[in-house]
Every structure is written in structure tokens, then in C-alpha cells.
Amino acid sequence: MSQQGERRVVTLDELVAQLDIIRAEAARLRDLLNQLVAEKDLISRAKEGIDAIVKSSPDSPVLFPLSTGYVAFVEAKPQSRDKVIVHLGADVYAKVDVSDGLRLLSEQESEVSRAIDEVARRLSEVERLQGQYEAVIQQAVAAAQAGQQAKGK
């Protein structure tokens, strides 16, 4: 017997359960997207900070934040304005020339930008699917309500 013509009936409860899974995935992707945007912002600020230090007068002090939220700073004079320590990943840091540091940070920024684009694309797909499920569920509920009203007459 051929199964080509057969259709599986999906209950409203199954659709709602699938919608819940889709909503959870959309929330997870939104969280990931926010994390990636924050990471890109940190990289961008690091590049701007390095650039500002390099351009500053050798005798002028530099303000270094003591926290990521810029709650407190310390004023200091860098021993060297031509070397920076950059994070390479997996808790590995390297002391490199400023130009190499800026290049490494730019590469990291590009990787994060690509990840942002991919996650945003996937989130858009999931949100579109979520909208489709919501529309089908609304139609099913409306049809059920219409059927109940027709029986009541």
C-alpha cells in the first residue's frame, strides 16, 4: 500500500507543544545574538582604546577601567605604547606590537560579525516559522469556535 496519499492529523496540543519549542529556540538565538553584539562592542572599544593610547602624548597618563562597567578607573602611564596584550582565546594572551594587536582584534571582530549575521539569519527563519505556527493555531481555534457555535444553534 502506498503512503503517498495518507495524511497525518496533528492535534492542537501537538501544534502548541511544537510552538513552545520554536519560541524557546527563538529566545535562545536572541540571547546568543545579544552576547555576540556585546562581544563585538568589547572588541571595538578595545581597538579604540589602543588607538587612543598610541596617539596620546608619551608623558600623559591614561585612564584604565577597573571593571567592564566603567565604575572605577586608575590613572597610569604605560611602560610601552608600542606593545599590547591581547586575548587569543581559551585563556591565552599574547604581548604583540600594536599593529599586530589591532590586526588580531580586527580579525576577531570580523569573525564575531559573521557569527552575528548567521545567528540573525537563523533567528529570522525561526521567527518566520513561529509566525506560521501561530497563524495555523489561530485558524484552528477559530474553526473550532465556529464549529461550537454552529452546534449551539
Side-chain angles (χ1 to χ4, degrees), residues 34-130:
N34 289 336
Q35 291 170 5
L36 289 169
V37 168
E39 184 177 345
K40 184 178 178 187
D41 184 53
L42 289 174
I43 295 169
S44 179
R45 282 195 261 163
K47 288 171 50 181
E48 291 168 3
I50 291 169
D51 193 47
I53 290 171
V54 169
K55 291 179 180 177
S56 67
S57 166
D59 294 331
S60 66
V62 176
L63 292 176
F64 288 96
L66 298 176
S67 67
T68 57
Y70 299 108
V71 175
F73 295 85
V74 65
E75 199 173 79
K77 289 185 182 178
Q79 287 180 331
S80 169
R81 293 178 190 263
D82 60 345
K83 298 276 186 189
V84 293
I85 299 171
V86 295
H87 182 248
L88 301 176
D91 291 333
V92 175
Y93 294 81
K95 188 174 191 175
V96 297
D97 290 330
V98 167
S99 60
D100 289 335
L102 288 170
R103 180 184 52 77
L104 288 168
L105 290 172
S106 291
E107 289 171 4
Q108 290 174 9
E109 190 175 35
S110 293
E111 288 175 21
V112 172
S113 290
R114 284 191 296 276
I116 288 170
D117 292 345
E118 178 61 26
V119 171
R121 182 192 63 73
R122 179 70 180 129
L123 177 58
S124 177
E125 290 173 0
V126 170
E127 287 176 336
R128 187 171 14 90
L129 183 62
Q130 178 180 335

Coordinates of all heavy atoms in Angstrom, one line a residue, residues 34-130:
N34 N 22.5 38.7 21.4 CA 22.9 39.8 22.4 C 24.3 39.6 22.9 O 25.0 40.6 23.0 CB 21.9 39.8 23.5 CG 20.5 40.4 23.1 OD1 20.4 41.1 22.1 ND2 19.5 40.0 23.8
Q35 N 24.7 38.4 23.2 CA 26.0 38.1 23.6 C 27.1 38.4 22.6 O 28.1 39.0 22.9 CB 26.2 36.6 24.0 CG 25.4 36.2 25.3 CD 25.4 34.7 25.5 OE1 26.0 33.9 24.8 NE2 24.6 34.3 26.5
L36 N 26.8 38.0 21.3 CA 27.7 38.3 20.3 C 27.8 39.8 20.0 O 29.0 40.3 19.8 CB 27.2 37.6 19.0 CG 27.4 36.1 19.0 CD1 26.7 35.5 17.8 CD2 28.9 35.7 19.0
V37 N 26.7 40.6 20.1 CA 26.8 42.0 19.9 C 27.6 42.6 21.0 O 28.4 43.5 20.8 CB 25.4 42.6 19.8 CG1 25.4 44.1 19.9 CG2 24.7 42.2 18.5
A38 N 27.4 42.2 22.2 CA 28.2 42.7 23.4 C 29.7 42.4 23.2 O 30.6 43.2 23.4 CB 27.7 42.1 24.7
E39 N 30.0 41.2 22.7 CA 31.4 40.8 22.4 C 32.0 41.7 21.4 O 33.2 42.2 21.5 CB 31.5 39.3 22.0 CG 32.9 38.8 21.8 CD 33.0 37.4 21.5 OE1 32.0 36.6 21.7 OE2 34.1 36.9 21.0
K40 N 31.3 42.0 20.3 CA 31.8 42.8 19.2 C 32.0 44.2 19.8 O 33.0 44.9 19.4 CB 30.8 42.9 18.1 CG 31.3 43.7 16.9 CD 30.3 43.6 15.7 CE 30.9 44.5 14.6 NZ 29.9 44.7 13.5
D41 N 31.1 44.7 20.6 CA 31.3 46.0 21.2 C 32.6 46.1 22.1 O 33.3 47.1 22.0 CB 30.1 46.4 22.1 CG 30.1 47.8 22.7 OD1 30.3 48.7 21.9 OD2 30.0 47.9 23.9
L42 N 32.8 45.0 22.8 CA 34.1 45.0 23.7 C 35.3 45.0 22.8 O 36.3 45.8 23.1 CB 34.1 43.7 24.5 CG 33.1 43.7 25.7 CD1 33.2 42.3 26.4 CD2 33.4 44.8 26.7
I43 N 35.3 44.3 21.7 CA 36.4 44.3 20.8 C 36.6 45.7 20.2 O 37.7 46.2 20.1 CB 36.3 43.2 19.7 CG1 36.3 41.8 20.3 CG2 37.3 43.4 18.6 CD1 35.9 40.7 19.4
S44 N 35.5 46.3 19.8 CA 35.6 47.6 19.2 C 36.1 48.6 20.1 O 37.0 49.5 19.8 CB 34.2 48.0 18.7 OG 34.2 49.3 18.1
R45 N 35.7 48.6 21.4 CA 36.2 49.5 22.4 C 37.7 49.3 22.7 O 38.4 50.2 22.9 CB 35.4 49.4 23.7 CG 34.0 50.1 23.6 CD 33.4 50.3 24.9 NE 32.4 49.3 25.2 CZ 31.9 48.9 26.3 NH1 32.4 49.5 27.4 NH2 31.0 48.0 26.4
A46 N 38.1 48.0 22.7 CA 39.5 47.7 22.9 C 40.3 48.3 21.7 O 41.4 48.9 22.0 CB 39.7 46.2 22.9
K47 N 39.9 48.2 20.5 CA 40.6 48.8 19.4 C 40.7 50.3 19.5 O 41.7 50.9 19.3 CB 39.9 48.4 18.1 CG 40.1 47.0 17.7 CD 39.2 46.6 16.5 CE 39.3 47.5 15.3 NZ 38.5 47.1 14.2
E48 N 39.6 50.9 19.9 CA 39.5 52.4 20.1 C 40.5 52.8 21.2 O 41.2 53.8 21.1 CB 38.1 52.9 20.4 CG 37.2 52.7 19.3 CD 35.7 53.0 19.6 OE1 35.4 53.2 20.8 OE2 34.8 52.8 18.8
G49 N 40.5 52.0 22.3 CA 41.4 52.3 23.4 C 42.9 52.2 23.0 O 43.7 53.1 23.4
I50 N 43.2 51.2 22.3 CA 44.6 51.0 21.8 C 45.0 52.2 20.9 O 46.1 52.8 21.1 CB 44.8 49.7 21.1 CG1 44.7 48.5 22.0 CG2 46.1 49.6 20.3 CD1 44.6 47.1 21.4
D51 N 44.1 52.5 20.0 CA 44.4 53.7 19.1 C 44.6 55.0 19.9 O 45.5 55.7 19.6 CB 43.2 53.8 18.1 CG 43.5 54.7 17.0 OD1 44.6 54.6 16.4 OD2 42.7 55.6 16.7
A52 N 43.8 55.2 20.9 CA 43.9 56.4 21.8 C 45.2 56.4 22.5 O 45.8 57.5 22.6 CB 42.7 56.5 22.7
I53 N 45.6 55.3 23.1 CA 46.9 55.2 23.8 C 48.0 55.5 22.9 O 49.0 56.3 23.2 CB 47.0 53.8 24.5 CG1 46.1 53.7 25.6 CG2 48.5 53.6 25.0 CD1 46.0 52.3 26.2
V54 N 48.0 54.9 21.7 CA 49.1 55.1 20.7 C 49.2 56.6 20.3 O 50.3 57.2 20.2 CB 48.9 54.2 19.5 CG1 49.8 54.6 18.4 CG2 49.1 52.8 19.8
K55 N 48.1 57.3 20.2 CA 48.1 58.7 19.7 C 48.3 59.6 20.9 O 48.6 60.8 20.6 CB 46.7 59.0 19.1 CG 46.5 58.3 17.7 CD 45.2 58.6 17.1 CE 45.0 57.9 15.8 NZ 43.7 58.1 15.2
S56 N 48.2 59.2 22.1 CA 48.4 60.1 23.2 C 49.9 60.4 23.4 O 50.8 59.7 23.0 CB 47.8 59.5 24.5 OG 48.6 58.4 24.9
S57 N 50.1 61.5 24.1 CA 51.5 62.0 24.4 C 52.1 61.0 25.4 O 51.5 60.5 26.3 CB 51.4 63.4 25.1 OG 52.6 63.7 25.7
P58 N 53.4 60.7 25.1 CA 54.1 59.7 26.0 C 54.1 60.1 27.5 O 54.2 59.3 28.3 CB 55.6 59.7 25.4 CG 55.4 60.2 24.1 CD 54.3 61.2 24.0
D59 N 54.1 61.4 27.8 CA 54.1 61.9 29.2 C 52.7 61.9 29.8 O 52.6 62.0 31.0 CB 54.7 63.3 29.3 CG 56.2 63.2 28.9 OD1 56.8 62.2 29.1 OD2 56.7 64.3 28.4
S60 N 51.7 61.8 29.0 CA 50.3 61.9 29.6 C 49.8 60.5 30.2 O 50.1 59.5 29.6 CB 49.3 62.3 28.5 OG 49.2 61.4 27.5
P61 N 49.2 60.6 31.3 CA 48.6 59.3 31.9 C 47.4 58.9 31.1 O 46.8 59.6 30.4 CB 48.2 59.8 33.3 CG 48.0 61.2 33.2 CD 48.9 61.7 32.1
V62 N 47.1 57.6 31.3 CA 46.0 57.0 30.6 C 45.0 56.5 31.7 O 45.5 56.0 32.7 CB 46.4 55.8 29.7 CG1 45.3 55.1 29.1 CG2 47.4 56.3 28.6
L63 N 43.7 56.6 31.5 CA 42.7 56.1 32.4 C 42.5 54.6 32.0 O 42.1 54.3 30.9 CB 41.4 56.9 32.4 CG 41.5 58.3 32.9 CD1 40.1 59.0 32.7 CD2 41.9 58.3 34.4
F64 N 42.7 53.7 33.0 CA 42.4 52.3 32.8 C 41.2 51.9 33.6 O 41.2 52.1 34.8 CB 43.6 51.4 33.1 CG 44.7 51.5 32.2 CD1 45.8 52.4 32.4 CD2 44.7 50.8 31.0 CE1 46.8 52.5 31.5 CE2 45.8 50.9 30.1 CZ 46.8 51.7 30.4
P65 N 40.1 51.4 33.0 CA 38.9 51.0 33.8 C 39.3 49.8 34.6 O 40.0 48.9 34.2 CB 37.9 50.6 32.7 CG 38.7 50.4 31.5 CD 39.9 51.1 31.6
L66 N 38.7 49.7 35.8 CA 39.0 48.6 36.7 C 37.8 47.6 36.7 O 37.8 46.6 37.3 CB 39.1 49.1 38.2 CG 40.3 50.0 38.4 CD1 40.3 50.6 39.8 CD2 41.6 49.3 38.1
S67 N 36.8 47.9 35.8 CA 35.7 47.0 35.6 C 35.1 47.2 34.2 O 35.4 48.2 33.6 CB 34.6 47.2 36.7 OG 34.0 48.4 36.5
T68 N 34.4 46.2 33.7 CA 33.8 46.4 32.4 C 32.7 47.4 32.4 O 32.4 48.0 31.3 CB 33.2 45.0 31.9 OG1 32.3 44.6 32.9 CG2 34.3 44.0 31.7
G69 N 32.1 47.7 33.5 CA 31.0 48.7 33.6 C 31.5 50.1 33.8 O 30.7 51.0 33.9
Y70 N 32.8 50.3 33.7 CA 33.4 51.7 33.9 C 33.0 52.3 35.2 O 32.7 53.5 35.2 CB 33.1 52.6 32.7 CG 33.7 52.0 31.4 CD1 32.9 51.5 30.4 CD2 35.1 52.0 31.2 CE1 33.4 51.0 29.2 CE2 35.6 51.5 30.0 CZ 34.7 51.0 29.0 OH 35.2 50.5 27.9
V71 N 33.0 51.5 36.3 CA 32.6 52.0 37.6 C 33.7 52.8 38.2 O 33.5 53.8 38.9 CB 32.1 50.9 38.5 CG1 31.8 51.3 39.9 CG2 30.9 50.2 37.8
A72 N 35.0 52.3 38.0 CA 36.1 52.9 38.6 C 37.3 52.8 37.6 O 37.4 51.9 36.8 CB 36.5 52.2 39.9
F73 N 38.2 53.8 37.7 CA 39.4 53.9 36.9 C 40.6 54.1 37.7 O 40.6 54.5 38.9 CB 39.2 55.1 35.9 CG 38.1 55.0 34.9 CD1 36.8 55.4 35.3 CD2 38.3 54.5 33.7 CE1 35.8 55.3 34.4 CE2 37.3 54.4 32.8 CZ 36.0 54.8 33.1
V74 N 41.7 53.8 37.1 CA 43.0 54.2 37.7 C 43.8 54.9 36.6 O 43.7 54.6 35.4 CB 43.8 52.9 38.2 CG1 44.2 52.0 37.0 CG2 45.0 53.3 38.9
E75 N 44.5 55.9 37.0 CA 45.3 56.7 36.1 C 46.7 56.1 36.1 O 47.3 55.9 37.2 CB 45.4 58.2 36.6 CG 45.8 59.2 35.6 CD 45.6 60.6 36.1 OE1 46.5 61.0 36.8 OE2 44.6 61.2 35.8
A76 N 47.3 55.8 35.0 CA 48.6 55.2 34.9 C 49.3 55.7 33.6 O 48.7 56.1 32.7 CB 48.5 53.7 34.9
K77 N 50.6 55.5 33.6 CA 51.4 55.7 32.4 C 51.9 54.4 31.9 O 52.7 53.7 32.6 CB 52.6 56.7 32.7 CG 52.2 58.1 33.0 CD 53.4 59.0 33.2 CE 52.9 60.4 33.6 NZ 54.0 61.3 33.8
P78 N 51.6 54.0 30.7 CA 52.0 52.7 30.2 C 53.5 52.7 30.0 O 54.1 53.7 29.6 CB 51.3 52.7 28.8 CG 50.2 53.6 28.8 CD 50.6 54.7 29.8
Q79 N 54.2 51.6 30.3 CA 55.6 51.5 30.2 C 55.9 51.5 28.7 O 57.0 52.0 28.3 CB 56.1 50.1 30.7 CG 56.1 50.1 32.2 CD 56.6 48.8 32.8 OE1 56.5 47.7 32.1 NE2 57.2 48.8 33.9
S80 N 55.1 51.0 27.9 CA 55.3 50.9 26.5 C 54.0 51.2 25.7 O 52.9 50.7 26.1 CB 55.8 49.5 26.0 OG 55.8 49.4 24.6
R81 N 54.1 52.1 24.7 CA 52.9 52.4 24.0 C 52.9 51.7 22.6 O 52.1 51.9 21.7 CB 52.8 53.9 23.8 CG 52.5 54.6 25.1 CD 52.4 56.1 24.9 NE 52.4 56.8 26.2 CZ 51.2 57.2 26.8 NH1 50.1 57.0 26.2 NH2 51.3 57.8 27.9
D82 N 53.9 50.8 22.4 CA 54.0 50.1 21.1 C 53.7 48.6 21.3 O 53.8 47.9 20.3 CB 55.4 50.4 20.5 CG 56.6 49.9 21.3 OD1 56.3 49.6 22.5 OD2 57.7 49.8 20.8
K83 N 53.4 48.2 22.5 CA 53.0 46.8 22.7 C 51.7 46.7 23.4 O 51.4 47.6 24.3 CB 54.1 46.1 23.5 CG 55.5 46.0 22.9 CD 55.6 44.8 22.0 CE 57.0 44.7 21.5 NZ 57.1 43.7 20.5
V84 N 50.9 45.7 23.1 CA 49.6 45.5 23.8 C 49.5 44.0 24.1 O 50.2 43.1 23.4 CB 48.4 45.9 23.0 CG1 48.4 47.4 22.8 CG2 48.4 45.3 21.6
I85 N 48.7 43.6 25.1 CA 48.4 42.2 25.4 C 47.0 42.0 24.9 O 46.1 42.7 25.4 CB 48.6 42.0 26.9 CG1 50.0 42.3 27.3 CG2 48.2 40.5 27.2 CD1 50.3 42.3 28.8
V86 N 46.8 41.0 24.0 CA 45.5 40.7 23.5 C 45.1 39.3 23.8 O 46.0 38.4 23.9 CB 45.4 40.9 22.0 CG1 45.6 42.4 21.6 CG2 46.4 40.1 21.2
H87 N 43.8 39.1 24.0 CA 43.3 37.7 24.2 C 43.2 37.0 22.9 O 42.6 37.5 21.9 CB 41.9 37.9 24.9 CG 41.2 36.6 25.2 ND1 40.1 36.1 24.6 CD2 41.6 35.7 26.2 CE1 39.8 35.0 25.1 NE2 40.6 34.7 26.1
L88 N 43.8 35.8 22.9 CA 43.7 35.0 21.7 C 42.7 33.9 21.7 O 42.4 33.2 20.8 CB 45.1 34.3 21.5 CG 46.3 35.3 21.3 CD1 47.6 34.5 21.2 CD2 46.1 36.2 20.1
G89 N 42.1 33.7 22.9 CA 41.1 32.6 23.1 C 41.6 31.6 24.1 O 42.8 31.4 24.3
A90 N 40.6 30.9 24.7 CA 41.0 29.8 25.6 C 41.9 30.2 26.7 O 42.9 29.5 27.0 CB 41.5 28.6 24.9
D91 N 41.7 31.4 27.3 CA 42.5 32.0 28.3 C 44.0 32.1 27.9 O 44.9 32.0 28.8 CB 42.4 31.1 29.6 CG 41.0 31.3 30.3 OD1 40.4 32.3 30.1 OD2 40.6 30.3 31.0
V92 N 44.2 32.3 26.7 CA 45.6 32.6 26.2 C 45.7 34.0 25.7 O 44.9 34.5 25.0 CB 45.9 31.6 25.0 CG1 47.3 32.0 24.4 CG2 45.8 30.2 25.4
Y93 N 46.7 34.7 26.2 CA 47.0 36.1 25.9 C 48.4 36.2 25.3 O 49.3 35.4 25.6 CB 46.9 37.0 27.1 CG 45.5 37.0 27.7 CD1 45.0 36.0 28.5 CD2 44.7 38.1 27.4 CE1 43.8 36.1 29.1 CE2 43.4 38.2 28.0 CZ 43.0 37.2 28.8 OH 41.7 37.2 29.3
A94 N 48.6 37.2 24.5 CA 49.9 37.4 23.8 C 50.3 38.9 23.9 O 49.4 39.7 23.6 CB 49.9 36.9 22.4
K95 N 51.5 39.2 24.1 CA 52.1 40.5 24.0 C 52.6 40.7 22.6 O 53.5 40.0 22.2 CB 53.2 40.7 25.1 CG 53.6 42.2 25.2 CD 54.6 42.3 26.4 CE 54.9 43.7 26.7 NZ 55.7 43.9 27.9
V96 N 52.0 41.6 21.9 CA 52.3 41.8 20.5 C 52.5 43.3 20.2 O 52.1 44.2 21.0 CB 51.2 41.2 19.6 CG1 51.2 39.7 19.7 CG2 49.9 41.8 19.8
D97 N 53.1 43.6 19.0 CA 53.1 45.0 18.6 C 51.7 45.5 18.4 O 50.8 44.8 18.1 CB 53.8 45.1 17.2 CG 55.3 44.8 17.3 OD1 55.9 45.1 18.4 OD2 55.9 44.3 16.3
V98 N 51.6 46.8 18.6 CA 50.2 47.5 18.5 C 49.6 47.1 17.1 O 48.4 46.8 17.1 CB 50.4 49.0 18.6 CG1 49.1 49.7 18.2 CG2 50.7 49.3 20.1
S99 N 50.3 47.2 16.0 CA 49.7 46.9 14.7 C 49.2 45.5 14.6 O 48.2 45.2 14.1 CB 50.7 47.2 13.6 OG 51.9 46.4 13.7
D100 N 50.0 44.5 15.2 CA 49.6 43.1 15.2 C 48.4 43.0 16.1 O 47.4 42.2 15.8 CB 50.7 42.2 15.7 CG 51.8 42.1 14.7 OD1 51.5 42.3 13.5 OD2 52.9 41.8 15.1
G101 N 48.4 43.7 17.3 CA 47.2 43.6 18.2 C 45.9 44.1 17.5 O 44.9 43.5 17.6
L102 N 46.1 45.2 16.8 CA 44.9 45.8 16.1 C 44.4 44.8 15.0 O 43.2 44.7 14.8 CB 45.2 47.2 15.6 CG 45.3 48.3 16.6 CD1 45.9 49.6 16.0 CD2 44.0 48.5 17.3
R103 N 45.4 44.2 14.3 CA 45.0 43.3 13.3 C 44.3 42.0 13.9 O 43.3 41.6 13.4 CB 46.3 42.8 12.5 CG 46.0 41.8 11.4 CD 47.3 41.3 10.7 NE 48.3 40.8 11.7 CZ 48.2 39.6 12.3 NH1 47.2 38.8 12.0 NH2 49.1 39.2 13.1
L104 N 44.8 41.5 15.0 CA 44.2 40.4 15.6 C 42.8 40.7 16.1 O 41.8 39.9 15.9 CB 45.0 39.9 16.8 CG 46.3 39.2 16.5 CD1 47.2 39.0 17.7 CD2 46.1 37.8 15.8
L105 N 42.6 41.9 16.7 CA 41.3 42.3 17.2 C 40.4 42.5 16.0 O 39.2 42.2 16.1 CB 41.4 43.6 18.0 CG 42.1 43.4 19.4 CD1 42.3 44.8 20.0 CD2 41.2 42.5 20.3
S106 N 40.9 43.0 14.9 CA 40.0 43.2 13.7 C 39.6 41.9 13.1 O 38.4 41.7 12.7 CB 40.8 44.0 12.6 OG 41.0 45.3 13.0
E107 N 40.5 40.9 13.2 CA 40.1 39.5 12.7 C 39.0 39.0 13.6 O 38.0 38.4 13.2 CB 41.3 38.6 12.7 CG 42.3 39.0 11.6 CD 43.6 38.2 11.7 OE1 43.7 37.3 12.6 OE2 44.5 38.4 10.8
Q108 N 39.2 39.1 15.0 CA 38.2 38.6 15.9 C 36.9 39.4 15.7 O 35.8 38.7 15.7 CB 38.7 38.9 17.3 CG 39.8 38.0 17.8 CD 40.3 38.4 19.2 OE1 39.7 39.2 19.9 NE2 41.4 37.8 19.5
E109 N 36.9 40.6 15.4 CA 35.7 41.4 15.2 C 35.0 40.9 13.9 O 33.8 40.8 13.9 CB 36.1 42.9 15.1 CG 34.9 43.8 15.0 CD 35.4 45.3 15.0 OE1 36.4 45.6 14.4 OE2 34.6 46.1 15.6
S110 N 35.8 40.6 12.9 CA 35.2 40.1 11.7 C 34.5 38.7 11.9 O 33.4 38.5 11.4 CB 36.2 39.9 10.6 OG 36.7 41.2 10.2
E111 N 35.2 37.9 12.7 CA 34.6 36.5 13.0 C 33.3 36.7 13.8 O 32.3 36.0 13.5 CB 35.6 35.7 13.8 CG 36.8 35.2 13.1 CD 37.8 34.5 14.0 OE1 37.4 34.1 15.1 OE2 38.9 34.4 13.5
V112 N 33.3 37.6 14.7 CA 32.1 37.9 15.5 C 31.0 38.4 14.6 O 29.8 38.1 14.7 CB 32.3 38.8 16.7 CG1 31.1 39.1 17.4 CG2 33.3 38.0 17.7
S113 N 31.3 39.3 13.7 CA 30.3 39.9 12.8 C 29.7 38.8 11.9 O 28.5 38.8 11.7 CB 31.0 41.0 11.9 OG 31.3 42.1 12.6
R114 N 30.5 37.9 11.4 CA 30.0 36.8 10.6 C 29.0 35.9 11.5 O 28.0 35.5 11.0 CB 31.1 35.9 10.0 CG 31.8 36.6 8.9 CD 32.7 35.6 8.1 NE 33.8 35.2 8.9 CZ 35.0 35.8 9.1 NH1 35.2 37.0 8.5 NH2 36.0 35.3 9.8
A115 N 29.4 35.7 12.7 CA 28.5 34.9 13.6 C 27.2 35.7 13.9 O 26.2 35.0 13.9 CB 29.3 34.6 14.9
I116 N 27.3 37.0 14.1 CA 26.1 37.8 14.3 C 25.2 37.7 13.1 O 24.0 37.5 13.2 CB 26.5 39.3 14.5 CG1 27.1 39.4 15.9 CG2 25.3 40.2 14.3 CD1 27.7 40.8 16.2
D117 N 25.8 37.8 11.9 CA 25.0 37.6 10.6 C 24.3 36.3 10.5 O 23.1 36.2 10.2 CB 25.8 37.9 9.4 CG 26.3 39.3 9.3 OD1 25.7 40.2 10.0 OD2 27.3 39.5 8.5
E118 N 25.0 35.2 10.9 CA 24.5 33.9 10.8 C 23.3 33.6 11.8 O 22.3 33.1 11.5 CB 25.6 32.8 11.0 CG 25.1 31.4 11.0 CD 24.4 31.0 9.7 OE1 24.7 31.6 8.6 OE2 23.6 30.1 9.7
V119 N 23.6 34.1 13.0 CA 22.6 33.9 14.1 C 21.3 34.8 13.8 O 20.2 34.3 13.9 CB 23.1 34.3 15.5 CG1 22.1 34.3 16.5 CG2 24.2 33.3 15.9
A120 N 21.5 36.0 13.3 CA 20.4 36.8 12.9 C 19.6 36.2 11.8 O 18.4 36.2 11.8 CB 20.9 38.2 12.5
R121 N 20.3 35.6 10.8 CA 19.6 34.9 9.7 C 18.8 33.7 10.2 O 17.6 33.6 9.9 CB 20.6 34.4 8.7 CG 20.0 33.7 7.4 CD 21.0 32.9 6.6 NE 21.6 31.8 7.3 CZ 21.1 30.7 7.6 NH1 19.8 30.5 7.3 NH2 21.7 29.7 8.3
R122 N 19.4 32.9 11.1 CA 18.7 31.8 11.7 C 17.5 32.3 12.6 O 16.4 31.7 12.5 CB 19.7 31.0 12.5 CG 19.0 29.8 13.2 CD 18.6 28.7 12.2 NE 18.0 27.6 12.9 CZ 16.9 27.0 12.6 NH1 16.2 27.4 11.6 NH2 16.4 26.0 13.4
L123 N 17.7 33.3 13.3 CA 16.6 33.9 14.1 C 15.5 34.3 13.3 O 14.3 34.1 13.6 CB 17.1 35.0 15.0 CG 16.1 35.7 15.9 CD1 15.4 34.8 16.8 CD2 16.7 36.9 16.6
S124 N 15.8 34.9 12.2 CA 14.7 35.4 11.2 C 13.9 34.2 10.7 O 12.7 34.2 10.6 CB 15.3 36.1 10.1 OG 14.4 36.5 9.1
E125 N 14.6 33.1 10.4 CA 13.9 31.9 9.9 C 13.0 31.3 11.0 O 11.9 30.9 10.8 CB 14.9 30.8 9.5 CG 15.7 31.1 8.3 CD 16.8 30.1 8.0 OE1 17.0 29.2 8.8 OE2 17.5 30.3 7.0
V126 N 13.5 31.2 12.2 CA 12.8 30.7 13.4 C 11.5 31.6 13.7 O 10.4 31.1 13.9 CB 13.7 30.5 14.6 CG1 12.8 30.2 15.8 CG2 14.7 29.4 14.3
E127 N 11.7 32.9 13.6 CA 10.6 33.8 13.9 C 9.6 33.7 12.8 O 8.4 33.8 13.1 CB 11.1 35.2 14.0 CG 11.8 35.5 15.3 CD 12.5 36.9 15.4 OE1 12.7 37.5 14.4 OE2 12.7 37.3 16.5
R128 N 10.0 33.5 11.5 CA 9.0 33.3 10.4 C 8.2 32.0 10.7 O 7.0 32.0 10.5 CB 9.8 33.2 9.1 CG 8.8 33.2 7.9 CD 9.5 33.4 6.6 NE 10.9 33.2 6.5 CZ 11.6 32.1 6.3 NH1 11.0 31.0 6.1 NH2 12.9 32.1 6.3
L129 N 8.9 30.9 11.1 CA 8.3 29.7 11.4 C 7.3 29.8 12.6 O 6.2 29.3 12.5 CB 9.3 28.6 11.7 CG 8.8 27.2 12.0 CD1 8.1 26.6 10.8 CD2 9.9 26.3 12.4
Q130 N 7.7 30.6 13.6 CA 6.9 30.8 14.7 C 5.6 31.6 14.3 O 4.5 31.2 14.7 CB 7.6 31.7 15.7 CG 6.8 32.1 17.0 CD 7.6 32.9 17.9 OE1 8.8 32.9 18.0 NE2 6.9 33.7 18.7

